[in-house]
Amino acid sequence: RSQWFSSWKEKLKTALQNKDQAQVAEMAQGYLDKMKNVSLNIAITGKSGSGKSTLVNALRNIENDTEGASPTGAVETTMVATEYPYPEHPNIRIWDLPGIGTLKFRANRYSRKMKFKKYDFFMIVSSERFTENDFYFVRSKIDNSISSQPRQLETLGVESPKVFLVSGLKLHLYDFEDLRKTLMEELPEHQRDVLQVALPNTSLEAIELKKKTFEKKIIWLSLTSAAAAAVPVPGVSEGVDLGIIIGFTAHYSVSLGLTPKLLRKLSDLSEVPLDNLKAEIKSPLAGVEITKGLVVKVLTRSAGLITSIVAEETASFVPVIGTVVAMGISGVTTYKVLKYILNTLADDVQRVFKKAWH
């Protein structure tokens, strides 16, 4: 990636210097396409019956025993390495590996059979005491016991082990935030960004980081719209790229957990009535199906608020390359609309999260 990015950055700088908006828009779209195709392979393994399949499902924001979920059970249910892509991010894959140390999967042959080199990182799960088979350190089923100690691993020859106490049923509790932060620190930026927006909401800090990741994205989206045909919206002074706005709103709603399906799931997990969660929602774009008609209606009603947003004096800072570029009028207006949607939905999900878990 680094070689491609260095070459691409120089070409983009040249296009910016030449004020070639068509070329800038094309290259910005190329960057977004490249980021969309960033892959991430996460392996989860451990002793049979340790709760790893429940963790696979929780990380993907999918309930056990539903369509697309990894099967769970008290005995080993995973016989081969099984791929589970994120529903909205198919290039992020969690691999549920067979339990290590069973009769079928002895530890001394495990790494070769599971092709460890294909994975970006591992979570090795244990629900009880750590043994010589436990070479990574996520503790699951923490609701049943909270007595695990890192010294168990030290006695097995692992220095300064990172142990995270995690409940697959309630990720916002215990040490999942520490695990999330560790992953974000150790992953390259492009993989960190795609994982950040894919993980379920587990804290107000995680929600804020999602917002910051999307803030970077809306600048690139606005650049791609600078050379596009603008669609007029009543009350908005200039036309916008509706296709970009609709796609962004739908993607952002899923990432924030503000779709009807994900709100129902949050209600089930938190045991807070769905109507009580919905009462915290202010934006008409949250908790509903995103359609073109709805987006146009909302933008028309919010035209005054949108046009009052200062788009950094009609210039936006392009992240990554560190260059300020004056966008076309369509790009500036699209930026204002995306910024408005970004802020209002982020405010909604913070209120919903507080209602569910605080």
Side-chain angles (χ1 to χ4, degrees):
R1 177 182 177 271
S2 58
Q3 186 176 11
W4 169 85
F5 184 70
S6 296
S7 174
W8 173 88
K9 183 168 67 172
E10 291 306 315
K11 291 179 181 178
L12 179 58
K13 281 185 176 180
T14 300
L16 291 170
Q17 291 168 357
N18 294 336
K19 299 182 179 180
D20 187 343
Q21 289 191 345
Q23 178 70 5
V24 169
E26 181 181 345
M27 296 194 70
Q29 184 61 56
Y31 178 81
L32 288 171
D33 291 343
K34 195 79 173 179
M35 294 302 99
K36 185 177 180 180
N37 292 323
V38 169
S39 64
L40 182 61
N41 289 286
I42 305 165
I44 296 185
T45 188
K47 294 176 64 177
S48 59
S50 62
K52 55 191 174 62
S53 293
T54 294
L55 186 58
V56 168
N57 296 331
L59 291 171
R60 297 166 61 236
N61 217 5
I62 292 178
E63 293 183 86
N64 290 342
D65 303 319
T66 59
E67 183 179 356
S70 175
T72 59
V75 296
E76 181 59 50
T77 56
T78 306
M79 293 294 106
V80 296
T82 306
E83 174 187 4
Y84 292 96
Y86 273 73
E88 301 297 327
H89 306 270
N91 290 323
I92 304 178
R93 306 173 185 90
I94 295 184
W95 294 82
D96 192 356
L97 305 188
I100 188 172
T102 64
L103 291 175
K104 291 187 177 181
F105 303 102
R106 292 298 187 187
N108 58 355
R109 294 193 300 252
Y110 192 80
S111 62
R112 186 180 74 255
K113 290 182 69 67
M114 293 300 107
K115 301 178 180 178
F116 276 12
K117 291 182 179 180
K118 71 184 290 183
Y119 306 114
D120 294 291
F121 62 84
F122 289 84
M123 296 184 186
I124 312 306
V125 179
S126 177
S127 61
E128 298 175 357
R129 291 181 60 85
F130 290 104
T131 71
E132 63 183 359
N133 293 327
D134 295 327
F135 49 96
Y136 181 65
F137 322 116
V138 173
R139 181 76 184 280
S140 70
K141 294 187 176 178
I142 191 60
D143 307 281
N144 299 335
S145 169
I146 200 166
S147 61
S148 176
Q149 298 292 332
R151 62 176 175 267
Q152 294 178 16
L153 292 164
E154 292 172 350
T155 62
L156 297 172
V158 181
E159 295 183 4
S160 302
K162 294 181 180 180
V163 180
F164 304 98
L165 307 180
V166 173
S167 168
L169 299 177
K170 296 181 179 179
L171 289 181
H172 69 289
L173 298 179
Y174 312 115
D175 295 342
F176 184 81
E177 271 302 285
D178 291 335
L179 172 59
R180 182 187 62 79
K181 291 175 183 178
T182 299
L183 296 178
M184 296 306 156
E185 290 171 359
E186 297 183 357
L187 283 172
E189 182 180 0
H190 59 293
Q191 289 183 319
R192 179 170 67 243
D193 284 351
V194 298
L195 183 60
Q196 182 72 65
V197 301
L199 288 173
N201 299 329
T202 52
S203 69
L204 292 174
E205 180 183 347
I207 292 171
E208 183 63 26
L209 289 173
K210 280 188 181 185
K211 180 183 176 182
K212 291 183 182 299
T213 300
F214 277 102
E215 281 178 340
K216 293 189 292 186
K217 185 174 183 179
I218 67 173
I219 296 176
W220 294 106
L221 289 170
S222 301
L223 286 175
T224 66
S225 74
V231 177
V233 173
V236 179
S237 58
E238 303 294 342
V240 296
D241 191 322
L242 268 182
I244 286 177
I245 292 168
I246 294 168
F248 172 83
T249 305
H251 183 202
Y252 191 41
S253 296
V254 171
S255 177
L256 292 182
L258 289 177
T259 66
K261 179 180 178 180
L262 292 174
L263 285 172
R264 284 194 298 272
K265 183 192 174 193
L266 178 61
S267 174
D268 292 341
L269 287 175
S270 65
E271 300 181 349
V272 175
L274 180 59
D275 287 343
N276 289 8
L277 296 179
K278 287 183 175 180
E280 300 299 318
I281 291 174
K282 307 301 180 185
S283 170
L285 293 173
V288 296
E289 181 184 356
I290 304 300
T291 65
K292 178 180 178 181
L294 175 63
V295 170
V296 172
K297 184 178 180 180
V298 171
L299 297 188
T300 301
R301 288 182 175 179
S302 308
L305 292 172
I306 292 169
T307 54
S308 67
I309 294 175
V310 179
E312 299 173 3
E313 297 180 358
T314 71
S316 287
F317 179 78
V318 181
V320 184
I321 65 168
T323 301
V324 173
V325 54
M327 294 184 291
I329 293 175
S330 172
V332 171
T333 308
T334 298
Y335 173 85
K336 289 182 177 183
V337 170
L338 294 175
K339 188 78 171 179
Y340 170 78
I341 294 171
L342 179 85
N343 291 337
T344 54
L345 290 183
D347 290 344
D348 275 351
V349 74
Q350 288 170 357
R351 287 191 294 267
V352 168
F353 185 87
K354 289 177 182 178
K355 187 68 175 181
W357 301 120
H358 289 182

